[in-house]
Amino acid sequence: MMQTPTRTPGYLVSAMRVFDLSIGEMLWSRRTIFMGLVVGAPVLISVLLRALDTFGAPVFQMNGMRMAGPSIFGLMIWVFYLRFIVPVLGVFYGTSLIADEIEDKTITYLFTRPVPRGAVLVGKFLAYLACTIFVVLPSVVIVYLCIVPLRGSLGGSFLDLVKDLVLLAIGLAAYGAVFACIGARFKRPLLVGLIFIFGWEQVALAFPGYLKKFTVAYYLQALVPHAMPNDNVLSLIQGIFHENPSAPQALFWLAVILLGFLWIAAVSVERKEYVLEQ
Amino acid sequence: MTKKTRYFMAASAGIVVVGLGTGLVAYYGGGFPSLAASRSGPSELSYVPADATVVAYANVREVMDSDLRQKMKAALPNETGQREFAAETGIDIEHDIDYVVAAMTTPGAAGLQQQPNGLVVARGRFNTTQLESLVREHGGVVEEYKGKRLVKATNVDHTAVNVAPDGTTVGKPPHTIVLAFLEPGLVGIGSEDAIKSSIDAQLSARSITSNNDMMELVADIDNGNNAWAVGRFDAIQSQVHLSPEIASKIPSIKTFAVMTHIDGGLSGMLRAETRDDQSAENLRQVVQGLLALGRMQSDPKATAMINSLQLSGTGKTVALSFAVPSDVFDALAKFPHDGSALHQLPKQLHELHGEALHALEAPKPPTPNR
């Protein structure tokens, strides 16, 4: 009997198939509840601030000065999105791309399909990116629409909004790639990821010298169109040693981080033997 | 992909599109600046009014950290002014100011001599409470303008007068300097009009970023420069008050740009754009002549410096690049400490120095009449 030859789909087609399969799974998982809470907080706060302002309450007074909407928006982008939401979503989703399949012992089923192993990771990474971008960016837009008109103009901050949206998408991609790589290579990826964002990045940014160049935040912060807030001691220290690479430099290095780590992650998945614990 | 996922993604994309659309409409309503231009320069340009005729930028941090500054500091160790300023305001210029953006507009009161409206926006770390109390101590008052806190200090000069075109003199209106806390870490200093129009410019998106002519000049500044200024030449000319004879001899320059990079030495470029090719050619010839005159000097240092000037440009553009190497500054820094250099001074100067010392002898105190 003649065997029907099976054609292995190309890398990109395989990645898109895995993406199609994973996006729904990722979007309607328990992790999305966490993401909803994290992303919903700034939206709730901005709606609340807007309501308080409508009723004449003195919202956001600093040194006797009422902050204008664009300044509050800038502050929220820094404090909520850039310092917390983007790295935290990156670490929770990025490290779980492969780790979840290992934990659920379903990685074998994926690897037995006629698709390159690396494409599985790339497809899952694309699903993560779509999933987080489609949740985070609308939340930023709602915050912008609620907050900026408070003693500010939507038009005046429009370019900043566009920059913020692009910046956050790049941030999600870069952090996602770093943590996908950690997830593919380390045994306790979540722990390593948390140490990276809340330990290494914070400390490296607070010291003068070249150490900060080994963080994602250094390049990401260079693209922020808003002033860095001095809301705590660490921020104050970071502000003192704050030095920015130029925007093209920052974009170049973020692209290197994204592509480099994604490639390392894909190669790791291709080569690594995953032993499932019984 | 399930239907539920598709609906979710469509709704999410819808929110983003609605937000961006609303922002775009508002942005368009407030003046649509060229996108290419708006990417250039520091973001604080959004506080510079659209009608500014001169815009300047200085990366204070880089200049202060430069080797040149360190050499100057070593040569002039007793800089008391800076220390006094820090003690009074809490601002250490060396470390607290990152960069400044300055601008000048020339509205002037109708019929009176044109008064430049200066504006300086500084990014850094400021003790707002100390700054505010300092201005209050000097009779300043605090008020709010469109959500921004302004501290006003008024200076009334009863002797100052303005001359109207018909020759009559009128007392100058009181001059008000305003310190505005624009954003956390961002302060603006300038006349009341300048500060208010700056805040309006930022809020309404009618800033210099919507002035394509000026933003093209800013876009042409090379990234490596840590200080620059661009502007309309007529704005400078009107401030200098040249006599009509001299003014008619100067080739008609439309815009200018000065950019410099300060590190160990000083390098940069002076670029001017004239109204037509003929004016540019005339200007090139004038500069060439001046350079030739300079090369005739017997001083080798001056000749070396003149040789570092390079004239270039085609069409309506005239560019003069310069580079002062660190060696020149080293030599200048050594000069006051080097006793041998003093012997090269003319004898008359020594004599003059002696006479001056004699003249400066302390006067005897008067004997009190008892």
mmCIF file of all heavy atoms in Angstrom, chain B residues 278-308:
data_model
loop_
_atom_site.group_PDB
_atom_site.id
_atom_site.type_symbol
_atom_site.label_atom_id
_atom_site.label_comp_id
_atom_site.label_asym_id
_atom_site.label_seq_id
_atom_site.Cartn_x
_atom_site.Cartn_y
_atom_site.Cartn_z
ATOM 1 N N GLN B 278 21.800 84.805 -4.993
ATOM 2 C CA GLN B 278 22.738 85.940 -5.102
ATOM 3 C C GLN B 278 23.161 86.407 -3.706
ATOM 4 O O GLN B 278 24.347 86.638 -3.459
ATOM 5 C CB GLN B 278 22.058 87.083 -5.879
ATOM 6 C CG GLN B 278 22.981 88.266 -6.164
ATOM 7 C CD GLN B 278 24.238 87.850 -6.949
ATOM 8 O OE1 GLN B 278 24.146 87.111 -7.932
ATOM 9 N NE2 GLN B 278 25.401 88.284 -6.495
ATOM 10 N N SER B 279 22.179 86.513 -2.795
ATOM 11 C CA SER B 279 22.491 86.940 -1.423
ATOM 12 C C SER B 279 23.422 85.942 -0.755
ATOM 13 O O SER B 279 24.332 86.332 -0.019
ATOM 14 C CB SER B 279 21.206 87.056 -0.599
ATOM 15 O OG SER B 279 20.291 87.879 -1.225
ATOM 16 N N ALA B 280 23.192 84.665 -1.023
ATOM 17 C CA ALA B 280 24.038 83.626 -0.426
ATOM 18 C C ALA B 280 25.465 83.766 -0.938
ATOM 19 O O ALA B 280 26.428 83.649 -0.168
ATOM 20 C CB ALA B 280 23.489 82.250 -0.766
ATOM 21 N N GLU B 281 25.588 84.037 -2.227
ATOM 22 C CA GLU B 281 26.908 84.196 -2.829
ATOM 23 C C GLU B 281 27.614 85.410 -2.208
ATOM 24 O O GLU B 281 28.799 85.331 -1.868
ATOM 25 C CB GLU B 281 26.737 84.373 -4.358
ATOM 26 C CG GLU B 281 28.025 84.257 -5.157
ATOM 27 C CD GLU B 281 28.833 83.023 -4.826
ATOM 28 O OE1 GLU B 281 28.263 81.926 -4.721
ATOM 29 O OE2 GLU B 281 30.067 83.173 -4.629
ATOM 30 N N ASN B 282 26.860 86.503 -2.046
ATOM 31 C CA ASN B 282 27.429 87.716 -1.427
ATOM 32 C C ASN B 282 27.910 87.410 -0.009
ATOM 33 O O ASN B 282 28.990 87.831 0.396
ATOM 34 C CB ASN B 282 26.381 88.834 -1.366
ATOM 35 C CG ASN B 282 26.051 89.370 -2.738
ATOM 36 O OD1 ASN B 282 26.774 89.096 -3.696
ATOM 37 N ND2 ASN B 282 24.959 90.108 -2.844
ATOM 38 N N LEU B 283 27.094 86.690 0.729
ATOM 39 C CA LEU B 283 27.436 86.369 2.113
ATOM 40 C C LEU B 283 28.686 85.496 2.168
ATOM 41 O O LEU B 283 29.574 85.700 3.004
ATOM 42 C CB LEU B 283 26.254 85.660 2.791
ATOM 43 C CG LEU B 283 26.415 85.370 4.271
ATOM 44 C CD1 LEU B 283 26.594 86.646 5.083
ATOM 45 C CD2 LEU B 283 25.195 84.624 4.822
ATOM 46 N N ARG B 284 28.748 84.534 1.254
ATOM 47 C CA ARG B 284 29.932 83.655 1.210
ATOM 48 C C ARG B 284 31.194 84.486 0.955
ATOM 49 O O ARG B 284 32.230 84.257 1.574
ATOM 50 C CB ARG B 284 29.762 82.593 0.110
ATOM 51 C CG ARG B 284 29.055 81.341 0.624
ATOM 52 C CD ARG B 284 29.155 80.202 -0.361
ATOM 53 N NE ARG B 284 28.250 80.370 -1.478
ATOM 54 C CZ ARG B 284 26.997 79.933 -1.500
ATOM 55 N NH1 ARG B 284 26.510 79.283 -0.473
ATOM 56 N NH2 ARG B 284 26.233 80.123 -2.547
ATOM 57 N N GLN B 285 31.064 85.473 0.048
ATOM 58 C CA GLN B 285 32.226 86.308 -0.275
ATOM 59 C C GLN B 285 32.639 87.161 0.930
ATOM 60 O O GLN B 285 33.828 87.309 1.208
ATOM 61 C CB GLN B 285 31.900 87.205 -1.468
ATOM 62 C CG GLN B 285 31.985 86.436 -2.787
ATOM 63 C CD GLN B 285 31.540 87.265 -3.976
ATOM 64 O OE1 GLN B 285 31.293 88.455 -3.848
ATOM 65 N NE2 GLN B 285 31.418 86.610 -5.120
ATOM 66 N N VAL B 286 31.634 87.689 1.641
ATOM 67 C CA VAL B 286 31.929 88.501 2.831
ATOM 68 C C VAL B 286 32.679 87.656 3.856
ATOM 69 O O VAL B 286 33.719 88.064 4.392
ATOM 70 C CB VAL B 286 30.620 89.071 3.442
ATOM 71 C CG1 VAL B 286 30.881 89.687 4.810
ATOM 72 C CG2 VAL B 286 29.994 90.104 2.518
ATOM 73 N N VAL B 287 32.168 86.460 4.110
ATOM 74 C CA VAL B 287 32.797 85.583 5.119
ATOM 75 C C VAL B 287 34.191 85.175 4.666
ATOM 76 O O VAL B 287 35.138 85.176 5.457
ATOM 77 C CB VAL B 287 31.902 84.344 5.397
ATOM 78 C CG1 VAL B 287 32.565 83.409 6.382
ATOM 79 C CG2 VAL B 287 30.551 84.774 5.925
ATOM 80 N N GLN B 288 34.305 84.854 3.367
ATOM 81 C CA GLN B 288 35.607 84.462 2.817
ATOM 82 C C GLN B 288 36.610 85.587 3.033
ATOM 83 O O GLN B 288 37.754 85.338 3.421
ATOM 84 C CB GLN B 288 35.431 84.169 1.308
ATOM 85 C CG GLN B 288 36.522 83.337 0.704
ATOM 86 C CD GLN B 288 36.448 81.888 1.169
ATOM 87 O OE1 GLN B 288 36.554 81.608 2.243
ATOM 88 N NE2 GLN B 288 36.267 80.959 0.389
ATOM 89 N N GLY B 289 36.183 86.823 2.787
ATOM 90 C CA GLY B 289 37.036 87.989 2.970
ATOM 91 C C GLY B 289 37.483 88.138 4.409
ATOM 92 O O GLY B 289 38.660 88.381 4.691
ATOM 93 N N LEU B 290 36.551 87.955 5.320
ATOM 94 C CA LEU B 290 36.874 88.070 6.749
ATOM 95 C C LEU B 290 37.874 86.996 7.162
ATOM 96 O O LEU B 290 38.789 87.254 7.943
ATOM 97 C CB LEU B 290 35.598 87.962 7.592
ATOM 98 C CG LEU B 290 34.646 89.156 7.534
ATOM 99 C CD1 LEU B 290 33.336 88.841 8.238
ATOM 100 C CD2 LEU B 290 35.292 90.378 8.182
ATOM 101 N N LEU B 291 37.686 85.798 6.624
ATOM 102 C CA LEU B 291 38.606 84.703 6.959
ATOM 103 C C LEU B 291 40.002 85.006 6.432
ATOM 104 O O LEU B 291 41.002 84.777 7.118
ATOM 105 C CB LEU B 291 38.100 83.383 6.363
ATOM 106 C CG LEU B 291 36.838 82.781 6.991
ATOM 107 C CD1 LEU B 291 36.452 81.497 6.277
ATOM 108 C CD2 LEU B 291 37.049 82.490 8.461
ATOM 109 N N ALA B 292 40.068 85.552 5.213
ATOM 110 C CA ALA B 292 41.367 85.897 4.616
ATOM 111 C C ALA B 292 42.058 86.960 5.464
ATOM 112 O O ALA B 292 43.263 86.884 5.717
ATOM 113 C CB ALA B 292 41.153 86.393 3.194
ATOM 114 N N LEU B 293 41.273 87.908 5.944
ATOM 115 C CA LEU B 293 41.809 88.975 6.798
ATOM 116 C C LEU B 293 42.370 88.380 8.089
ATOM 117 O O LEU B 293 43.433 88.764 8.567
ATOM 118 C CB LEU B 293 40.665 89.954 7.118
ATOM 119 C CG LEU B 293 41.060 91.358 7.525
ATOM 120 C CD1 LEU B 293 41.706 92.083 6.363
ATOM 121 C CD2 LEU B 293 39.819 92.118 7.993
ATOM 122 N N GLY B 294 41.629 87.418 8.627
ATOM 123 C CA GLY B 294 42.050 86.766 9.869
ATOM 124 C C GLY B 294 43.339 85.990 9.683
ATOM 125 O O GLY B 294 44.196 85.963 10.577
ATOM 126 N N ARG B 295 43.527 85.375 8.505
ATOM 127 C CA ARG B 295 44.724 84.555 8.264
ATOM 128 C C ARG B 295 45.991 85.420 8.155
ATOM 129 O O ARG B 295 47.089 84.899 8.267
ATOM 130 C CB ARG B 295 44.539 83.739 6.984
ATOM 131 C CG ARG B 295 43.627 82.557 7.203
ATOM 132 C CD ARG B 295 43.641 81.561 6.066
ATOM 133 N NE ARG B 295 42.593 80.580 6.298
ATOM 134 C CZ ARG B 295 41.434 80.560 5.675
ATOM 135 N NH1 ARG B 295 41.167 81.448 4.746
ATOM 136 N NH2 ARG B 295 40.529 79.635 5.951
ATOM 137 N N MET B 296 45.786 86.708 7.923
ATOM 138 C CA MET B 296 46.935 87.599 7.798
ATOM 139 C C MET B 296 47.554 87.929 9.151
ATOM 140 O O MET B 296 48.614 88.532 9.222
ATOM 141 C CB MET B 296 46.517 88.887 7.082
ATOM 142 C CG MET B 296 46.316 88.677 5.589
ATOM 143 S SD MET B 296 45.416 90.028 4.842
ATOM 144 C CE MET B 296 46.621 91.316 4.890
ATOM 145 N N GLN B 297 46.880 87.547 10.245
ATOM 146 C CA GLN B 297 47.411 87.798 11.584
ATOM 147 C C GLN B 297 48.699 86.997 11.770
ATOM 148 O O GLN B 297 48.819 85.891 11.269
ATOM 149 C CB GLN B 297 46.402 87.337 12.646
ATOM 150 C CG GLN B 297 45.057 88.027 12.587
ATOM 151 C CD GLN B 297 45.119 89.448 13.105
ATOM 152 O OE1 GLN B 297 45.770 89.721 14.096
ATOM 153 N NE2 GLN B 297 44.434 90.349 12.412
ATOM 154 N N SER B 298 49.619 87.561 12.539
ATOM 155 C CA SER B 298 50.903 86.860 12.730
ATOM 156 C C SER B 298 50.814 85.827 13.853
ATOM 157 O O SER B 298 51.659 84.962 13.972
ATOM 158 C CB SER B 298 52.012 87.870 13.026
ATOM 159 O OG SER B 298 51.630 88.646 14.142
ATOM 160 N N ASP B 299 49.769 85.929 14.692
ATOM 161 C CA ASP B 299 49.638 84.999 15.820
ATOM 162 C C ASP B 299 49.310 83.590 15.307
ATOM 163 O O ASP B 299 48.260 83.386 14.677
ATOM 164 C CB ASP B 299 48.514 85.508 16.743
ATOM 165 C CG ASP B 299 48.406 84.686 18.010
ATOM 166 O OD1 ASP B 299 49.168 83.715 18.133
ATOM 167 O OD2 ASP B 299 47.559 85.019 18.857
ATOM 168 N N PRO B 300 50.204 82.611 15.551
ATOM 169 C CA PRO B 300 49.939 81.252 15.024
ATOM 170 C C PRO B 300 48.677 80.613 15.608
ATOM 171 O O PRO B 300 47.990 79.850 14.936
ATOM 172 C CB PRO B 300 51.195 80.458 15.407
ATOM 173 C CG PRO B 300 51.884 81.272 16.448
ATOM 174 C CD PRO B 300 51.481 82.683 16.261
ATOM 175 N N LYS B 301 48.366 80.950 16.900
ATOM 176 C CA LYS B 301 47.161 80.370 17.525
ATOM 177 C C LYS B 301 45.905 80.861 16.826
ATOM 178 O O LYS B 301 44.994 80.084 16.522
ATOM 179 C CB LYS B 301 47.100 80.759 18.999
ATOM 180 C CG LYS B 301 47.795 79.770 19.896
ATOM 181 C CD LYS B 301 47.644 80.204 21.326
ATOM 182 C CE LYS B 301 48.660 79.492 22.201
ATOM 183 N NZ LYS B 301 48.844 80.172 23.462
ATOM 184 N N ALA B 302 45.893 82.181 16.536
ATOM 185 C CA ALA B 302 44.730 82.758 15.858
ATOM 186 C C ALA B 302 44.607 82.171 14.453
ATOM 187 O O ALA B 302 43.503 81.858 13.995
ATOM 188 C CB ALA B 302 44.866 84.272 15.798
ATOM 189 N N THR B 303 45.759 81.991 13.789
ATOM 190 C CA THR B 303 45.747 81.431 12.436
ATOM 191 C C THR B 303 45.206 80.003 12.468
ATOM 192 O O THR B 303 44.390 79.611 11.624
ATOM 193 C CB THR B 303 47.171 81.445 11.843
ATOM 194 O OG1 THR B 303 47.734 82.723 12.084
ATOM 195 C CG2 THR B 303 47.164 81.167 10.347
ATOM 196 N N ALA B 304 45.678 79.235 13.475
ATOM 197 C CA ALA B 304 45.206 77.849 13.591
ATOM 198 C C ALA B 304 43.698 77.816 13.811
ATOM 199 O O ALA B 304 42.977 76.975 13.242
ATOM 200 C CB ALA B 304 45.914 77.156 14.747
ATOM 201 N N MET B 305 43.231 78.753 14.611
ATOM 202 C CA MET B 305 41.795 78.806 14.901
ATOM 203 C C MET B 305 40.990 79.172 13.644
ATOM 204 O O MET B 305 39.968 78.580 13.350
ATOM 205 C CB MET B 305 41.544 79.826 16.003
ATOM 206 C CG MET B 305 40.380 79.468 16.894
ATOM 207 S SD MET B 305 40.244 80.717 18.116
ATOM 208 C CE MET B 305 40.462 79.847 19.578
ATOM 209 N N ILE B 306 41.528 80.152 12.904
ATOM 210 C CA ILE B 306 40.854 80.589 11.670
ATOM 211 C C ILE B 306 40.856 79.443 10.661
ATOM 212 O O ILE B 306 39.886 79.227 9.933
ATOM 213 C CB ILE B 306 41.572 81.828 11.083
ATOM 214 C CG1 ILE B 306 41.514 82.975 12.078
ATOM 215 C CG2 ILE B 306 41.003 82.208 9.700
ATOM 216 C CD1 ILE B 306 40.586 84.073 11.872
ATOM 217 N N ASN B 307 41.979 78.693 10.638
ATOM 218 C CA ASN B 307 42.056 77.574 9.691
ATOM 219 C C ASN B 307 41.037 76.484 9.999
ATOM 220 O O ASN B 307 40.686 75.696 9.133
ATOM 221 C CB ASN B 307 43.468 76.982 9.689
ATOM 222 C CG ASN B 307 44.428 77.867 8.934
ATOM 223 O OD1 ASN B 307 44.014 78.692 8.105
ATOM 224 N ND2 ASN B 307 45.711 77.736 9.221
ATOM 225 N N SER B 308 40.606 76.436 11.258
ATOM 226 C CA SER B 308 39.610 75.415 11.617
ATOM 227 C C SER B 308 38.204 75.787 11.129
ATOM 228 O O SER B 308 37.295 74.971 11.149
ATOM 229 C CB SER B 308 39.584 75.204 13.135
ATOM 230 O OG SER B 308 38.896 76.273 13.740
#
